[in-house]
Amino acid sequence: MIDANSGLVPGAKLVIHRETLQQLLDALVSRGYRVIAPAMRSGAIAYDTVTRLEELPIGWTDRQEAGTYHLERRDDDAVFGYAVGPHSWKQFLHPSVEKLWHARREGNGFAVSACEPALEPLAFIGVRACELHAIAIQDRVFVEGPYLDRHYQLRREQAFIVAVNCSKAGGTCFCASMETGPEVRAGFDLALTELLDDGSHSFLLEVGSTIGADVAASLPQRAATVVEIEAAARVVARTRNAMGRALDTAGLKEALQNNPEHPRWDEVAARCLACANCTMVCPTCFCSTIDDTTDLTGIMAERVRRWDSCFTLDFSYIHGGNVRQSTRARYRQWMTHKLANWFDQFGSSGCVGCGRCITWCPVGIDITEVASRIRDTPIAARSNGDDGRS
Amino acid sequence: MTAGLERIVLEHPFFADLGTAFAEAISGCARNLRVAAGEYVVREGEPSDEFYLVRHGAVALELHAPGRQLIIVATLREGEVLDGSWLVPPYRWAFDARALELTRLLGVNAKCLRDKCEADHDLGYELMKRFVGAIGERLHAARLQALDIYGNSPA
Amino acid sequence: MTFAYSTPPTVRTGDCLLPQPFPITRTRREAPGVVTIELAPPAAFAFAAGQFNMLYAFGLGEVAISLSGDPGNVTRIVHTVRAVGPVSAALTRLRSGMTIGVRGPYGSAWPVTESEGGDIVIVAGGLGLAPLRPAIYAVLARRERYGRVVVLYGARSPADMLHRRELEMWRRRLDVDVTVTVDHAAADWRGNVGVVPALIPRIPVDPEHAVALVCGPEIMMRFTIDALRQRGLRTDRIYLSMERNMKCAVGLCGHCQFGPAFVCRDGPVFRFDRVAPSFNIREI
C-alpha cells in the first residue's frame, strides 16, 4: 500500500473505486477549483460546473453521425460512456467574450486600463485525448508565438486536468487517423480509464504531474495490478478499432494547398450554409474579433474580444468589399487552414479528429470525405502556356 | 535620304528584329518630321493616312466632351507607335494627339504601306504582329485606367 | 515555411492589445479624403520602414495604418490616412491637440539594408506611396550604398498625388530617377498618362542586381510584378506590401490570413516568391 506521503510520482498507475470519484471532486473543490465536467444540458452532453458525481451523464451514451446527435440510455452505469459533445474546453480557456480594457476620456486625451481575468482556477473532468491535443494546439497559438495572450496563459497555468481514456468511439470520431488518440499520453494531471465488468466498477488512475500526484495521494487508492493495466489497455484498443471515421492524411496538405480550384469546393459550397457551427464546436478554432464600444456619454469606452468565424461574410472585409465573398471561398479557407496551412503556421495539423464539425453540421458535410476526395482526385497541374506543341 | 530613313526604321524599338529587306520597304513610305510643343499631330475624326513612331519627345492622346475639360488618356514616348487605325477601315483617328514638348517623329504613309503589305503578305504579317502587341498592351492599360484602382470606390 | 527575413518582433506580454494615447501635433490634407497626421510619441518610437501601427479612434475602433515617416526620426510618428470607413473617416477629422490611440509597430520591414550593393526600384501606386516613403528616406540616407535608385509612382490624377513636395525634391536630386504617371489628367499636365506597369520596360536598372519594392492596390501590384519579371528581375528580389482585414495585429485573431501567412506578423512586407502561390488565387 502506498501511503499519502510516500511521494506518488508522475507515471504512477493506481486504481480507485467508482465511489472515490466523488472524493476526487471534493478534493478539487476544497483546493479552490471550480470543477467542470460533462453534464446533460438540452439533450446533449455539455461541459458545466458540477459538485456531485450524480450530475454527470451516468449510464448515458450518444449516437453521432453527420448532422445527427442524440442521447440514449446504456444498459450499464458507465460514468464516461459517451464521446464528445458540442462543447469543448476552449470556452473556458479562451472564453467567447472577454473584456480587454476600458478607457476614459480625459481632457484632450484618454487613459486606458487593462482588465484582469477573473482568478478562478478551473478543474476539467473528462478531457479526452483529442481534447488534450486541441488544448496543446491552442497553447501553441496563444502562448508559444511571438505575441502572448496573457489571460489565456493565466487560465491555462491554473487549470487542473483530469483526462479520460475513451471507452467508446463516436460515430464521427477519427482521432486514430490524426494520431491524437484514443489513448491519453501527455498533458494531464490525472487520467482515468473506466474499468467496468460484471460486478466491479473501478478506474485506473494515472498520475501525470506533481500536482496530480498531490491530489491522488489524498484519495483512497492502491497501485494497479498488471491485470488491471492490461484491462485498461484493452479498453483503449477496443476504442481505437471502433472509430466512426478515418482520414488518410498522406499528401493531404499539399493536395489542399495546390488545388484551390478543385470542383469539390463548388459542390461543398452548394450545401454549406456558412452557419459557422463547425467553427463554434471545433476545439482548435481560435478566430476572434474586436468590439470597440462607448457609452452614451461618449466618455467611457471599452474593448471586448469575442469569438468570430471565418465563415462570416465580412470576416475578410477590406476597402468596401469582402475578399472571400463566396461561401465556396470561405469553406475552402476553413478547411485549408485546418488541414494544411496550420502546419506552416504552427507545425502540426489543426484537426484532432474529434468529429464535432461533422456531427454538428446541419447539412452533414463531412471533412474527412471532402478532404479525401480532393486529395484522391487532384487537378492536373496547368501548363504555363508554352507547352511546345508543334 | 532613304538610307538614313532605313537606319532610323531599323533602330526604332518598335521595329526591332525586322530585317533590312522589310526596313527598306517601310522606309520607302517614310519621312521624318518635327512637331513643336503644343502642336497637334493628329485630330480626332481626320483620316489616318499616316502613322507615326515617336523617336524623341512625348505626345499626349486627348479626348474632349462638351462641358468637360480636355482629358489626357495616354502619353506616348520614345519607342511607341501612334497608332493602329491606319490598318483597317475606316482609317480615322479616334483622338487628338498633341506634342507635349519638341518631338521628332517618323511618319509612314498609310496607303503606301498598305499597298506594299497587300503585295507582300510576309511584310504584312510582321507589321501585324507588332501592331497587335502594341494595341493589346494599350487595351490592357486602358482597362486598368478605367477601373480607377486608386479611387475610393470599391473596385 | 518561414516568412521572416528581417528581425522578428519583440515578445510582448499581455498588453499587446492596449493602445497608448499619442497627441496630434500636425495634420495636412493631401488630397480629397486623405490626411497626413503627425503624432508626438511620449517616448522614442523606433520602427522599421514597412511596419504599421493600429490607430484607435476613441470609442469607435481601430485601423491598421502604415508608418509613413522617416525611420531615422524616433520623436515623430507620421501616418497618411484615407477615409474609407467610419474609423478612418473619424481619424481624418481629428485636429492638432487631439489624441489618437496607438499600438505598434507591427509587421515585417522593407529589406532596405539587404538591398545595398545593387539597384533599387521603388514602385508605388496611389496610397501605396505612404508605406514606401520610409524606405525611400532610409535609402537616401545611405545613398552611396546603392546603385541606381528609381522611384515610380502612379496616381489617379495629378490632384490625387501624395507627398508632391517630396516627390519634387527627390526628382531634383541628380542621383534619383523619379517618374510619375496618372490614370488621366487635364490638358495642362505635362507628365505621363498611363499605367505604372507600362513604365517598367524603360527603367534604367540592371535586372540581375536589382531589388524592387512594390506597394499599391493589389491589381496594380500584380501587373507591376509581371512587368518586373518580364524585365528580368528575380522573384526573390521583388518585395510587396499586402493588406488584409486586421483586428488584433498580433497573429491571434485570424482575420488577416493570406494563404498560410498572417499579414500582420509574416507581412505586411513579403518577398514575392514566398507568396507567389497564393497571389493569383481568387478570393484567398
Side-chain angles (χ1 to χ4, degrees):
Chain A
M1 292 291 276
I2 300 168
D3 85 343
N5 295 318
S6 74
L8 291 176
V9 291
K13 291 193 191 334
L14 315 164
V15 164
I16 57 171
H17 294 305
R18 178 203 179 280
E19 294 68 41
T20 312
L21 285 180
Q22 181 62 54
Q23 293 173 67
L24 170 60
L25 300 183
D26 296 339
L28 292 167
V29 168
S30 73
R31 280 167 163 75
Y33 290 100
R34 176 156 71 96
V35 177
I36 301 171
M40 294 210 342
R41 296 284 180 273
S42 310
I45 295 175
Y47 295 138
D48 205 349
T49 310
V50 304
T51 49
R52 313 268 338 133
L53 183 60
E54 290 68 44
E55 296 177 71
L56 274 67
I58 298 170
W60 285 91
T61 189
D62 51 19
R63 290 253 173 265
Q64 301 196 36
E65 243 313 320
T68 315
Y69 179 102
H70 64 263
L71 298 181
E72 274 178 11
R73 269 226 154 269
R74 295 171 63 95
D75 53 16
D76 61 25
D77 280 332
V79 178
F80 298 105
Y82 40 85
V84 295
H87 281 185
S88 68
W89 302 100
K90 77 174 181 182
Q91 66 181 297
F92 304 108
L93 296 172
H94 176 55
S96 58
V97 177
E98 181 145 29
K99 203 188 295 190
L100 297 176
W101 50 257
H102 46 254
R104 191 195 167 81
R105 268 202 210 276
E106 282 172 2
N108 258 341
F110 56 86
V112 183
S113 38
C115 295
E116 294 301 315
L119 284 175
E120 186 194 36
L122 304 173
F124 299 157
I125 311 290
V127 181
R128 307 308 175 96
C130 59
E131 298 181 306
L132 288 173
H133 280 266
I135 292 171
I137 285 172
Q138 288 213 330
D139 288 349
R140 245 168 269 138
V141 176
F142 291 121
V143 173
E144 293 168 30
Y147 293 97
L148 178 74
D149 182 331
R150 192 169 52 89
H151 296 192
Y152 178 95
Q153 184 188 41
L154 255 148
R155 283 185 291 257
R156 181 72 180 90
E157 280 169 355
Q158 294 178 338
F160 186 96
I161 295 182
V162 178
V164 158
N165 275 303
C166 298
S167 56
K168 177 187 180 294
T172 55
C173 287
F174 57 103
C175 65
S177 300
M178 303 308 291
E179 296 176 18
T180 53
E183 190 182 359
V184 157
R185 293 233 169 88
F188 56 88
D189 296 299
L190 295 171
L192 296 165
T193 311
E194 191 154 18
L195 301 171
L196 183 56
D197 303 307
D198 356 89
S200 85
H201 192 170
S202 60
F203 287 84
L204 188 80
L205 175 69
E206 195 178 335
V207 175
S209 69
T210 40
I211 193 175
D214 203 52
V215 171
S218 73
L219 304 172
Q221 28 76 1
R222 58 164 172 79
T225 65
V226 167
V227 170
E228 286 161 334
I229 294 172
E230 282 173 356
R234 276 198 302 279
V235 166
V236 170
R238 197 182 62 223
T239 311
R240 174 173 283 115
N241 293 333
M243 290 284 139
R245 291 282 193 288
L247 175 63
D248 179 4
T249 56
L252 186 57
K253 171 182 186 291
E254 293 70 24
L256 292 174
Q257 288 177 331
N258 296 338
N259 284 282
E261 305 300 335
H262 197 285
R264 194 83 186 132
W265 298 122
D266 299 291
E267 291 157 24
V268 171
R271 298 165 57 204
C272 174
L273 305 175
C275 72
N277 263 15
C278 50
T279 55
M280 297 292 109
V281 298
C282 174
T284 62
C285 273
F286 63 86
C287 284
S288 60
T289 188
I290 302 284
D291 283 342
D292 282 313
T293 54
T294 181
D295 68 353
L296 288 174
T297 67
I299 296 176
M300 307 292 297
E302 84 181 11
R303 172 167 297 172
V304 165
R305 184 196 61 209
R306 58 180 171 79
W307 286 1
D308 201 353
S309 171
C310 57
F311 279 95
T312 57
L313 182 56
D314 57 2
F315 186 83
S316 58
Y317 176 89
I318 48 169
H319 304 157
N322 304 306
V323 173
R324 295 190 277 269
Q325 176 75 17
S326 65
T327 304
R328 172 187 176 277
R330 286 175 267 151
Y331 188 88
R332 180 182 68 187
Q333 163 64 22
W334 179 70
M335 212 178 92
T336 309
H337 184 202
K338 193 67 58 184
L339 297 177
N341 297 346
W342 211 285
F343 283 98
D344 296 319
Q345 297 170 346
F346 304 110
S348 76
S349 178
C351 175
V352 296
C354 69
R356 285 181 176 90
C357 57
I358 305 171
T359 298
W360 295 99
C361 173
V363 298
I365 292 169
D366 184 339
I367 193 177
T368 65
E369 192 259 335
V370 179
S372 302
R373 180 71 68 93
I374 292 175
R375 194 265 320 282
D376 296 340
T377 60
I379 303 181
R382 307 169 130 230
S383 79
N384 60 2
D386 40 45
D387 48 21
R389 272 192 263 168
S390 56
Chain B
M1 179 63 161
T2 319
L5 286 174
E6 193 181 314
R7 183 181 49 79
I8 291 171
V9 167
L10 274 171
E11 283 171 359
H12 196 277
F14 186 73
F15 289 127
D17 303 323
L18 190 63
T20 37
F22 290 150
E24 206 188 307
I26 292 169
S27 61
C29 303
R31 64 173 179 126
N32 252 323
L33 55 151
R34 249 174 35 167
V35 187
E39 225 181 286
Y40 279 88
V41 182
V42 303
R43 288 289 199 173
E44 188 185 320
E46 282 178 356
S48 51
D49 43 17
E50 193 174 28
F51 71 88
Y52 306 95
L53 293 130
V54 181
R55 293 183 57 206
H56 190 83
V59 174
L61 307 188
E62 289 175 350
L63 289 173
H64 65 91
R68 292 188 65 161
Q69 288 187 305
L70 270 183
I71 305 158
I72 301 178
V73 293
T75 50
L76 305 182
R77 293 185 182 263
E78 219 172 279
E80 301 194 79
V81 68
L82 176 72
D83 78 341
S85 49
W86 66 278
L87 274 166
V88 291
Y91 311 130
R92 290 206 178 278
W93 294 107
F95 41 72
D96 296 338
R98 171 172 59 88
L100 288 173
E101 54 195 71
L102 175 65
T103 298
R104 278 205 291 280
L105 303 166
L106 184 74
V108 182
N109 184 285
K111 180 146 195 347
C112 168
L113 196 53
R114 278 198 300 266
D115 288 345
K116 288 193 182 179
C117 289
E118 288 296 337
D120 180 358
H121 283 182
D122 288 347
L123 170 64
Y125 181 56
E126 284 302 317
L127 288 173
M128 205 56 87
K129 277 194 289 193
R130 285 162 176 75
F131 274 96
V132 165
I135 292 166
E137 274 171 28
R138 208 73 61 81
L139 175 61
H140 178 63
R143 281 177 172 151
L144 289 181
Q145 284 163 263
L147 277 179
D148 194 23
I149 57 181
Y150 304 127
N152 262 348
S153 45
Chain C
M1 187 195 292
T2 52
F3 292 92
Y5 55 85
S6 49
T7 29
T10 336
V11 175
R12 293 177 197 275
T13 50
D15 300 326
C16 49
L17 292 174
L18 239 65
Q20 245 201 311
F22 286 11
I24 299 174
T25 53
R26 196 165 160 209
T27 64
R28 180 171 63 244
R29 188 181 165 289
E30 299 273 353
V34 182
V35 174
T36 292
I37 302 171
E38 289 181 22
L39 304 170
F45 191 94
F47 69 96
Q51 291 193 300
F52 67 96
N53 279 334
M54 291 300 275
L55 299 184
Y56 171 65
F58 188 85
L60 270 183
E62 272 182 337
V63 284
I65 307 283
S66 291
L67 284 146
S68 187
D70 183 353
N73 182 348
V74 298
T75 62
R76 195 171 68 149
I77 295 178
V78 183
H79 286 284
T80 299
V81 183
R82 174 153 81 182
V84 293
V87 178
S88 51
L91 292 174
T92 59
R93 286 195 293 266
L94 295 176
R95 292 291 164 260
S96 202
M98 296 182 176
T99 305
I100 291 184
V102 177
R103 56 187 182 95
Y106 298 117
S108 57
W110 297 112
V112 173
T113 332
E114 292 87 340
S115 309
E116 289 175 3
D119 297 339
I120 187 164
V121 186
I122 295 172
V123 190
L127 223 64
L129 184 57
L132 278 171
R133 196 167 66 151
I136 298 175
Y137 287 136
V139 166
L140 295 182
R142 295 172 142 189
R143 178 65 187 87
E144 70 284 359
R145 298 185 186 207
Y146 300 89
R148 306 291 288 261
V149 174
V150 174
V151 175
L152 304 177
Y153 176 48
R156 195 165 176 244
S157 74
D160 291 294
M161 282 171 51
L162 300 183
H163 312 314
R164 302 182 71 133
R165 229 169 355 141
E166 259 146 336
L167 281 165
E168 280 163 33
M169 220 165 58
W170 295 329
R171 166 181 271 156
R172 271 205 292 278
R173 290 176 66 129
L174 298 174
D175 56 0
V176 181
D177 196 303
V178 175
T179 308
V180 302
T181 187
V182 292
D183 280 350
H184 52 83
D188 58 357
W189 176 247
R190 304 289 298 273
N192 273 311
V193 176
V195 294
V196 165
L199 300 175
I200 302 293
R202 251 185 274 267
I203 51 175
V205 296
D206 172 12
E208 292 284 308
H209 300 106
V211 169
L213 312 183
V214 184
C215 186
E218 221 168 292
I219 189 171
M220 167 255 173
M221 292 199 293
R222 214 160 69 223
F223 290 116
T224 298
I225 291 172
D226 270 353
L228 286 165
R229 293 173 71 180
Q230 276 202 301
R231 185 81 166 70
L233 271 83
R234 287 168 26 189
T235 54
D236 63 350
R237 298 283 192 86
I238 299 172
Y239 294 81
L240 62 146
S241 183
M242 294 291 301
E243 207 176 341
R244 281 292 184 270
N245 183 295
M246 281 187 195
K247 294 285 189 285
C248 73
V250 293
L252 298 178
C253 74
H255 281 248
C256 70
Q257 289 175 85
F258 171 57
F262 286 94
V263 174
C264 68
R265 202 186 66 189
D266 305 311
V269 177
F270 287 102
R271 207 176 78 181
F272 178 66
D273 62 327
R274 290 176 171 149
V275 294
S278 303
F279 208 60
N280 280 309
I281 299 175
R282 281 159 195 70
E283 289 195 275
I284 194 168

